[in-house]
Amino acid sequence: MDESLAKLAARAEVYRLLSQAYYTPQANFFKGDFLGLFKKAFDTLSLDPCIPEVTNMEFYLQAPQEPVELGVEYTRLFRGPVQAEAYPYESMYIEGEVMGKSTLDVVRRYGDAGVGVSEEFKDLPDHISAELEFMHYLCAKEFEARQREDRDEVSRFHIMGSSFLRDHLARWVPQLSEHILQHATTPYYLSLARMTREFVSREVAEA
């Protein structure tokens, strides 16, 4: 695989892993090799500042605590007993309310790409996990098109990804990351916020 294809595959992988990292914590957070996959992808992308953050998360997840600790932190940060410390919805940062115009545009862009929010996903369409998963999809489809040497499809998915990144993730992820950094107490979410901010910043700069 040539270098440009390898980097595109690594970008798709980081988007997928970040999306999963913002799911409600489950016991399987302590299993599998998703942190190892993070390291491999960041290494391919030469995103050196992110690698120590993965190590911090790894040390934390290897400690003998129970998943309930992350669950409590997740609820406090993203749900809140009354209000969240760091709402995971784009429209809360753009319009100050859920299901704003930005959310409707997100849904439209999903449809333009031929996808929709799964019935299994029990949250709003502009949740950080959904938007990151969408970017994974666009990168993966561009990767497949490049392997087929389908220039029209390569261009189509590349433009969709660059546009979505610019018009959506770039507009609110820095604020989300800052809110997490201000209120998180576990190394997992502190490092996740820094990783997300660094990766999206690099993506915007190179789009």
Side-chain angles (χ1 to χ4, degrees), residues 10 13-14 16-17 20 32-43 54:
E13 182 74 333
V14 172
R16 182 183 72 84
L17 294 167
Q20 291 183 355
D33 190 38
F34 89 103
L35 293 179
L37 295 173
F38 259 133
K39 283 184 179 179
K40 181 178 179 181
F42 285 141
D43 184 61
V54 179

Side-chain angles (χ1 to χ4, degrees), residues 10 12 14 20-22 28 38 41 51 57 60 72 77 80 92 97 102 117 123 131-132 145 148 160 178 196:
V14 172
Q20 291 183 355
Y22 282 100
N28 60 10
F38 259 133
I51 294 177
M57 295 165 72
Y60 173 74
V72 170
L77 285 173
M92 287 298 295
E97 61 182 4
S102 60
V117 178
D123 218 314
E131 293 198 8
L132 291 168
R148 299 193 307 270
M160 281 186 173
E178 186 59 33
T196 305

